[in-house]
């Protein structure tokens, strides 16, 4: 139980510190005076870790192939912003009893709301997609992601295609990494149990899994819901970090970004995927000037990787999973 | 003895092909029944029908008096039916032990939230499952290999692991699909002993599909014979060995093979 | 009624484009059992190759009749994409024949991204105007019905292409081999079908049809950009599923239905209470409905996995 205890402890510490720094949401704990640029990248990295780790439970551990993660992120982002931006006055008023902590209280609530809404969306996507496998599932989840985007685009109350600006920037380094540690802990401990062997069994062989009493339907939906919940949290954190969200920002290409992280990290390896998410965030920043070449390079990398090393660059790093996770 | 499994006029069609045709059949508690027949006779298909992988085109299948129509495989497994696969279907990315542990899924007291919270009850359960899995592996001589990837096991061991995995679901009826395939004669004798042993130890009914007549005749109390999806004979091993239609079915095959 | 017929014409010409793309998905799925994610981007390359080829050819073709010029551009673009499709298959998919389907799927996503972003580098990100191959005129029919000549040409030429495809698939040796391969790969191989040749041929044929669709699409809507293949590609996939993946008539019918439904939803958005902005969601809603209620599509056969 050692690593798990440590994780819980660090989450507690991170949350405590975030709480203490309430007054300065962008406070740069724990690295002292850190320049804003690095701070921003670290926050983005944390958000990407949440996205990648949560997609990994669907694509890696359960062996489904979702291409709609950005859709869940959008639900989380817009869902939380509904509380803190669109209806902020009313919400703050009803939290007046918290006194000075009302904005923080609202922020926490909005994070949860984002996560829960996204989880519901995950349920809505997971249920009809159950009969589908592989490429079909990929396209349907992609379709769902696009439907979510089109719906937001056509909803005036959410700012339509123009997007939503003026979201209070409350996401701090502590919050981001607190949630990402939480996601790592949750996915790691879910998978690493007798219960969690069910996810892996579904990935390896659905028919055998059913024959061994594993309810594959339940597992797939659970994976979708858990994945979507954390993607929603990531979206909420992102919205309150960047302050301005548009439907375009949650397009199919964002989903592909996350998929690339999961693939490079090695599907099914939580550690590998975490490292890949951090590394790719930094790489993206470094290559920001060369944006066009970056994507060409990624695409080539993806192709070459699949031909030569389908278990991912970092596959096998994972302690959470016995064996490597390159299987479909 | 009370009845576990009953098939009434079960038929399944794949397009134009009638793979199982009007089969009546039953297995009672604690019995060891053989199911034989030439290649393509419909034996595996019958297993797939019983375990809910396919649904019968017509006819009824009952488990313990309850009709199973429309249930998922996992629900049927929950009613006490476990199986092995002719073309081995282990969980390939998992270790030998984890293959067995995955099959304890039905008997979990603490599921999703237990795994997240990892409290005392959860830990006790994990420890107990681990112990039970190891004990099962021990019976089949796989304890030493518990932590190796199941892919790296020799063929015969993979077949044995399939049986262990099926036993982990704590079945009342165990369906074995050609468990001796690819084994050498010594392994086969050992396997016969193991099947009898587990049958008594866990008070199982066993339905055995096997091409090796020595194995089938050696351990089965009763044998049913399928040919082209139809049940052409049923009886004790001696009766079956004398049955004209069975001899014809098998001779026909040998002639064709020659 | 008139307005309805009008929408129908618009829908059919759009549907013809979807049908042409959908055929590529379906044929490749037939022989390789995988969804070629990059197919929509081959469609995009088809539009750009048509544009460049048309521009380059224009000075030489000054004296040609318009139909000849348009046909040469169409064929050139089809040929280019056929080669592109074959090259993609050889380089990216062939090494993965025996690998898990997921690996191939990810590779296909990689190829798709590569075409899009390499396209952005080469062609620029901004939309470009597609040269007009045929002077657009408006034709009035019965009861004040309006159609552009391009819409009609698209419908006629698509029908010709489909007829050609039908002949190739049903009458030629390669077509026979293709059908054999999609019915039973092992048996086909045993009977001496050269799998590599058939697969290349299938990719070539599918990509050529996508290129034809692209030239039509670009002629109808005039603007092209490196990401133009994403949505039509996905919608054509929906069309293929609607018709039943693996079925050629299914892909045609599915494409036409999708084009018409999409156009009608936009045309009657007020009446239906669906904002026209939902245009791009229509296909996905259809997709989800089919997969829920008739996963094998209109013309597909259900297949059960052997255990
Ligand atoms: N899913 C399916 N779709 C189509 N045909 C099938 C399917 N499953 C089985 N069949 C056919 O049903 C018939 C019976 O097959 P089955 O596997 O049950 O035979 P078997 O008795 O187990 O033979 P063997 O001894 O070779 O294992 C065969 O002709 C087989 O091809
Ligand atoms: Mg069999």
């Amino acid at each position: 139980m050692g690593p798990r205890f440590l994780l819980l402890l660090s989450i507690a510490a991170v949350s405590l510190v975030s709480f203490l720094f309430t007054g300065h949401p962008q406070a740069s704990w724990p690295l002292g005076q850190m320049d804003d640029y690095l701070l921003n990248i670290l926050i983005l990295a944390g958000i990407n870790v949440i996205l990648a780790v949560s997609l990994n439970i669907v694509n890696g551990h359960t062996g489904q192939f979702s291409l709609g993660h950005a859709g869940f992120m959008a639900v989380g982002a817009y869902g939380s912003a509904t509380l803190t931006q669109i209806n902020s006055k009313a919400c703050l008023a009803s939290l007046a009893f918290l006194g000075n902590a009302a904005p923080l209280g609202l922020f926490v609530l909005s994070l949860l709301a984002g996560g829960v809404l996204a989880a519901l969306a995950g349920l809505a996507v997971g249920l009809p997609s159950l009969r589908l496998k592989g490429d079909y599932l990929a396209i349907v989840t992609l379709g769902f992601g696009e439907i979510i985007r089109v719906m937001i685009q056509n909803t005036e109350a959410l700012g339509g295609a123009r997007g939503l600006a003026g979201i209070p920037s409350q996401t701090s380094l502590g919050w981001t990494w607190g949630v990402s540690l939480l996601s790592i802990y949750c996915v790691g401990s879910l998978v690493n149990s007798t219960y969690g062997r069910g996810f892996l069994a579904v990935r390896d062989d659905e028919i055998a899994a059913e024959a061994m009493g594993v309810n594959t339907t339940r597992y797939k939906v659970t994976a979708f819901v858990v994945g979507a919940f954390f993607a929603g949290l990531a979206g909420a954190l992102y919205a309150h970090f960047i302050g301005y969200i548009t439907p375009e920002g949650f397009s199919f290409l964002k989903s592909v970004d996350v998929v690339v992280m999961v693939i490079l990290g090695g599907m099914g390896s939580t550690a590998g995927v975490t490292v890949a998410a951090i590394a790719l965030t930094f790489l993206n920043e470094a290559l920001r000037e060369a944006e066009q070449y970056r994507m060409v390079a990624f695409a080539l990398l993806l192709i070459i990787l699949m031909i030569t090393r389908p278990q991912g660059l970092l596959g096998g790093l994972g302690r959470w999973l016995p064996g490597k996770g390159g299987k479909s | 003895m009370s009845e576990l499994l009953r098939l009434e006029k079960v038929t399944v069609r794949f397009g134009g092909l009638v793979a199982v045709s009007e089969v009546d059949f039953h297995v009672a508690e604690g019995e060891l029944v053989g199911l034989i027949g030439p290649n393509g006779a419909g034996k595996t298909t019958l297993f797939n029908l019983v375990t809910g992988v396919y649904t019968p085109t017509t006819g009824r299948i009952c488990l313990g008096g309850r009709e199973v129509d429309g249930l998922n495989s996992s629900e049927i497994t929950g009613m006490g039916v476990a199986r092995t696969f002719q073309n081995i279907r282990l969980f390939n990315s998992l270790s030998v032990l984890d293959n067995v542990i995955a099959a304890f899924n039905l008997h979990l007291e603490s599921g999703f939230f237990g795994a997240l919270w990892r409290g005392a009850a959860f830990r006790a359960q994990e420890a107990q499952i681990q112990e039970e899995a190891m004990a099962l592996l021990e019976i089949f001589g796989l304890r030493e290999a518990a932590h190796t990837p199941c892919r790296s096991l020799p063929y015969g061991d993979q077949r044995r692991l399939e049986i262990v995995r099926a036993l982990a679901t704590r079945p009342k009826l165990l369906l074995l699909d050609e468990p001796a395939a690819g084994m050498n004669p010594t392994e086969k004798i050992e396997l016969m002993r193991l099947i009898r042993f587990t049958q008594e130890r866990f008070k199982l009914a066993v339905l055995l599909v096997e091409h090796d007549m020595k194995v089938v005749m050696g351990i089965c109390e009763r044998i049913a014979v399928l040919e082209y999806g139809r049940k052409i004979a049923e009886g004790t091993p001696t009766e079956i060995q004398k049955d004209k239609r069975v001899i014809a079915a098998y001779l026909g095959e040998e002639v064709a093979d020659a | 009624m008139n307005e309805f017929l009008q929408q129908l014409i618009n829908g059919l010409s759009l549907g013809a484009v979807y049908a042409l793309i959908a055929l590529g998905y379906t044929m490749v799925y037939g022989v390789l059992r995988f969804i070629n994610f990059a197919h929509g981007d081959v469609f995009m390359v088809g539009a750009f190759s048509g544009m460049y080829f048309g521009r380059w050819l224009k000075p030489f073709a000054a004296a040609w009749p318009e139909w000849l010029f348009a046909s040469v551009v169409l064929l050139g673009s089809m040929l280019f994409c056929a080669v592109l499709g074959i090259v993609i298959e050889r380089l990216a998919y062939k090494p993965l024949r025996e690998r898990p389907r997921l690996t191939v799927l990810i590779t296909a996503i990689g190829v798709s991204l590569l075409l899009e972003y390499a396209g952005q580098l080469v062609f620029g990100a901004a939309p470009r105007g597609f040269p007009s191959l045929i002077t657009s005129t408006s034709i009035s029919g019965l009861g004040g019905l309006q159609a552009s000549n391009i819409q009609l040409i698209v419908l006629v030429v698509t029908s010709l292409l489909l007829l050609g495809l039908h002949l190739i698939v049903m009458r030629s040796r390669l077509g026979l081999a293709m059908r054999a391969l999609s019915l039973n790969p092992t048996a086909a191989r045993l009977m001496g079908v050269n799998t590599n040749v058939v697969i290349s041929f299938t990719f070539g044929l599918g990509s050529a049809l996508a290129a034809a669709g692209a030239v039509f699409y670009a002629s109808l809507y005039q603007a092209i950009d490196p990401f133009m293949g994403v949505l039509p590609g996905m919608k054509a996939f929906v069309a293929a599923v609607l018709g039943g993946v693996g079925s050629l008539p299914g892909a045609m019918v599915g494409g036409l239905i999708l084009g018409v439904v999409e156009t009608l939803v936009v045309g009657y958005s007020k009446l239906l209470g669906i904002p026209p902005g939902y245009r791009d969601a229509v296909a996905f809603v259809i997709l989800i409905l089919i997969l829920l209620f008739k996963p094998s599509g209109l013309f597909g056969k259900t297949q059960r996995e052997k255990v």
Side-chain angles (χ1 to χ4, degrees):
Chain A
M1 297 301 108
R4 242 143 259 115
F5 183 70
L6 273 180
L7 263 170
L8 275 182
L9 204 70
S10 42
I11 291 170
V14 165
S15 338
L16 187 71
V17 172
S18 319
F19 184 73
L20 294 179
F21 279 77
T22 321
H24 337 263
Q26 290 279 0
S28 36
W29 180 86
L31 304 179
Q33 283 303 66
M34 197 171 15
D35 69 86
D36 277 355
Y37 183 61
L38 184 59
L39 181 76
N40 287 348
I41 300 180
L42 283 176
I43 290 181
L44 278 179
I47 292 174
N48 281 334
V49 168
I50 306 172
L51 288 170
V53 167
S54 60
L55 182 64
N56 196 28
I57 193 172
V58 182
N59 288 22
H61 299 115
T62 319
Q64 308 301 297
F65 200 85
S66 166
L67 267 180
H69 220 48
F72 301 131
M73 196 187 168
V75 172
Y78 276 91
S80 64
T82 314
L83 295 185
T84 54
Q85 200 266 8
I86 303 176
N87 299 310
S88 67
K89 284 221 180 67
C91 290
L92 279 174
S94 55
L95 288 176
F97 64 90
L98 289 177
N100 272 346
L104 178 71
L106 182 58
F107 173 56
V108 176
L109 261 182
S110 78
L111 285 187
L112 280 177
V116 170
L117 278 176
L120 288 176
L123 188 66
V125 175
L127 281 176
S129 312
L130 286 171
R131 307 195 204 175
L132 310 172
K133 292 202 184 103
D135 2 23
Y136 270 78
L137 183 67
I139 301 234
V140 170
T141 48
L142 195 164
F144 266 114
E146 290 294 294
I147 290 178
I148 291 175
R149 193 173 59 80
V150 170
M151 276 167 62
I152 296 173
Q153 222 156 37
N154 287 285
T155 307
E156 264 316 300
L158 294 177
R162 280 171 288 111
L164 204 57
I167 304 165
S169 52
Q170 279 173 299
T171 299
S172 64
L173 193 62
W175 276 110
T176 315
W177 279 92
V179 177
S180 58
L181 287 176
L182 184 73
S183 68
I184 293 175
Y185 170 80
C186 286
V187 172
S189 41
L190 272 183
V191 171
N192 209 17
S193 64
T194 302
Y195 170 80
R197 291 288 168 264
F199 293 108
L200 311 181
V202 171
R203 169 186 68 189
D204 281 359
D205 190 327
E206 279 190 34
I207 288 174
E210 275 281 329
M212 296 308 130
V214 174
N215 186 334
T216 51
T217 309
R218 174 109 51 81
Y219 272 94
K220 287 191 221 169
V221 173
T222 305
F224 262 104
V225 170
V226 172
F229 175 75
F230 281 107
L233 283 183
L237 286 169
Y238 179 75
H240 291 85
F241 162 64
I242 214 91
Y244 168 55
I245 50 180
T246 59
E248 270 319 304
F250 304 102
S251 74
F252 159 63
L253 291 171
K254 180 66 202 171
S255 298
V256 170
D257 264 356
V258 187
V259 169
V260 170
M261 289 170 194
V262 171
I263 293 168
L264 289 185
M267 285 190 279
S269 151
T270 303
V273 159
T274 306
V275 174
I278 299 173
L280 281 182
T281 313
F282 276 89
L283 197 66
N284 279 347
E285 283 312 314
L287 298 178
R288 188 154 289 284
E289 298 298 303
E291 175 76 19
Q292 297 164 310
Y293 300 95
R294 175 178 79 96
M295 286 309 290
V296 174
F298 272 5
L300 276 173
L301 183 64
L302 212 53
I303 301 169
I304 294 170
L305 200 65
M306 281 302 109
I307 296 177
T308 56
R309 200 181 148 76
Q311 71 272 34
L313 275 185
L314 307 168
L317 238 182
R319 263 182 332 106
W320 301 104
L321 182 80
K324 289 173 183 171
K327 236 206 129 216
S328 65
Chain B
M1 268 192 294
S2 73
E3 193 174 79
L4 271 182
L5 169 70
R6 163 168 292 278
L7 274 68
E8 287 171 14
K9 294 225 169 311
V10 170
T11 300
V12 68
R13 286 197 191 86
F14 299 114
L17 179 95
V18 187
V20 169
S21 170
E22 307 251 307
V23 169
D24 288 307
F25 182 64
H26 72 96
V27 178
E29 250 170 37
E31 264 191 309
L32 211 171
V33 185
L35 181 65
I36 61 172
N39 289 113
K43 306 176 295 287
T44 300
T45 306
L46 194 118
F47 274 19
N48 286 333
L49 287 166
V50 172
T51 53
V53 177
Y54 302 151
T55 35
T57 316
T58 57
R60 280 163 35 99
I61 299 176
C62 299
L63 282 172
R66 192 177 146 206
E67 191 168 347
V68 298
D69 188 40
L71 294 186
N72 288 337
S73 288
S74 55
E75 289 167 316
I76 292 174
T77 310
M79 292 166 75
V81 180
R83 72 178 288 183
T84 65
F85 292 92
Q86 179 177 358
N87 49 341
I88 300 173
R89 299 186 87 125
L90 291 169
F91 303 127
N92 270 327
S93 72
L94 303 188
S95 69
V96 169
L97 178 61
D98 279 332
N99 262 277
V100 185
I101 285 180
F104 276 95
N105 202 277
L106 279 168
H107 306 288
L108 289 176
E109 312 253 294
S110 73
F112 184 87
F113 291 104
L116 280 181
W117 183 245
R118 302 183 105 74
F122 167 83
R123 293 200 300 268
Q125 176 188 274
E126 296 287 291
Q128 191 231 325
I129 287 176
Q130 172 117 357
E131 202 173 302
E132 215 174 306
M134 281 305 222
L136 283 174
L137 286 172
E138 174 96 66
I139 297 177
F140 283 78
L142 289 167
R143 195 190 172 100
E144 307 293 274
H147 295 288
T148 55
C150 70
R151 267 178 310 201
S152 63
L153 286 184
Y155 195 68
D157 283 350
Q158 293 197 10
R159 288 217 171 276
R160 272 190 284 268
L161 177 56
E162 279 238 343
I163 303 180
V164 175
R165 193 177 64 164
L167 287 173
T169 66
R170 299 180 193 155
K172 285 184 280 202
L173 170 63
L174 179 63
L175 312 177
L176 299 175
D177 201 345
E178 304 199 13
M183 290 188 177
N184 63 36
T186 4
E187 281 181 314
K188 280 184 185 170
I189 291 170
E190 172 65 6
L191 181 74
M192 284 163 70
R193 188 189 68 75
L194 279 172
I195 292 176
R196 276 228 200 78
F197 175 78
T198 44
Q199 187 211 3
E200 274 160 32
R201 162 91 183 263
F202 300 102
K203 305 202 171 24
L204 291 174
V206 177
L207 180 57
L208 173 70
V209 165
E210 184 51 62
H211 278 297
D212 189 314
M213 286 305 141
K214 279 205 203 78
V215 174
V216 181
M217 299 296 166
I219 59 175
C220 293
E221 299 148 20
R222 178 159 65 88
I223 296 173
V225 188
L226 288 183
E227 188 193 18
Y228 296 120
R230 292 184 179 279
K231 189 173 86 178
I232 56 168
E234 185 167 357
T236 62
T238 18
E239 286 164 1
I240 293 297
Q241 272 163 329
K242 284 188 223 136
D243 191 290
K244 287 217 179 59
R245 295 187 61 180
V246 178
I247 294 169
Y250 273 90
L251 278 183
E253 195 189 33
E254 269 163 36
V255 172
D257 282 350
Chain C
M1 192 60 212
N2 237 340
E3 195 198 330
F4 178 77
L5 284 177
Q6 188 68 57
Q7 300 288 359
L8 205 60
I9 294 177
N10 297 344
L12 283 176
S13 53
L14 178 62
V17 175
Y18 291 157
L20 288 169
I21 313 175
L23 284 166
Y25 280 115
T26 272
M27 287 193 290
V28 166
Y29 192 90
V31 294
L32 281 182
R33 296 280 178 278
F34 107 96
I35 294 168
N36 180 13
F37 233 87
H39 192 57
D41 303 295
V42 172
F43 166 85
M44 174 274 292
V45 175
F48 275 96
S49 58
M51 178 188 91
Y52 283 114
F53 186 47
R55 290 223 181 118
W56 175 82
L57 191 67
K58 194 107 198 169
F60 304 98
W64 297 6
E66 227 173 18
W67 64 265
L68 183 64
F69 172 63
S71 315
V72 172
V73 171
L74 180 67
L75 289 177
S77 160
M78 286 172 75
L79 188 69
F80 183 79
C81 282
V83 174
L84 178 70
I86 292 171
V87 169
I88 289 175
E89 195 278 324
R90 278 289 146 113
L91 293 183
Y93 304 149
K94 189 162 172 246
L96 302 172
R97 285 269 167 85
E98 304 303 322
R99 298 275 196 84
R101 282 168 52 165
L102 206 53
T103 311
V104 192
L105 173 67
I106 295 167
T107 312
I109 295 177
V111 173
S112 162
L113 292 174
L114 182 64
L115 289 177
E116 286 160 14
Y117 285 96
Q120 200 178 42
L121 273 185
V122 178
F123 311 133
R128 307 275 290 268
F130 192 80
S132 89
L133 302 177
I134 298 239
T135 324
S136 170
T137 52
S138 176
I139 299 170
S140 328
L142 292 169
L145 215 57
Q146 296 276 323
S148 83
N149 58 338
I150 296 184
Q151 284 180 319
L152 297 182
I153 292 172
V154 165
L155 285 174
V156 171
V157 180
T158 302
S159 313
L160 289 178
L161 286 172
L162 295 185
L163 184 70
L165 178 71
H166 177 81
L167 290 178
I168 291 178
V169 172
M170 301 313 278
R171 299 284 165 82
S172 76
R173 284 181 62 88
L174 267 172
L176 180 69
M178 216 170 104
R179 282 182 290 146
L181 197 62
S182 60
L183 276 178
N184 189 338
T186 334
R189 221 164 289 142
L190 291 175
M191 300 314 283
V193 168
N194 185 337
T195 331
N196 287 334
V197 171
V198 177
I199 290 174
S200 288
F201 179 69
T202 310
F203 268 86
L205 207 57
S207 306
L209 291 174
V215 171
F216 298 158
Y217 188 85
S219 301
L220 287 169
Y221 300 99
Q222 274 136 28
I224 61 178
D225 70 271
F227 288 88
M228 69 180 278
V230 177
L231 270 180
M234 286 196 277
K235 289 176 184 173
F237 168 76
V238 175
V241 175
L242 174 61
V245 174
S247 150
L248 296 186
M252 297 176 204
V253 175
L256 292 178
I257 294 181
L258 190 65
V260 170
V261 172
E262 199 182 292
T263 314
L264 289 181
V265 166
V266 179
Y268 290 96
S269 64
K270 279 226 184 65
L271 205 67
L272 295 168
I274 306 171
Y278 278 83
R279 173 187 194 117
D280 293 336
V282 170
F284 294 111
V285 174
I286 294 184
L287 176 66
I288 289 157
L289 291 180
I290 321 163
L291 291 173
L292 277 180
F293 296 109
K294 196 165 181 344
S296 55
L298 298 175
F299 295 81
K301 289 192 214 85
T302 19
Q303 281 185 333
R304 286 201 264 188
E305 187 180 353
K306 271 197 195 180
V307 179

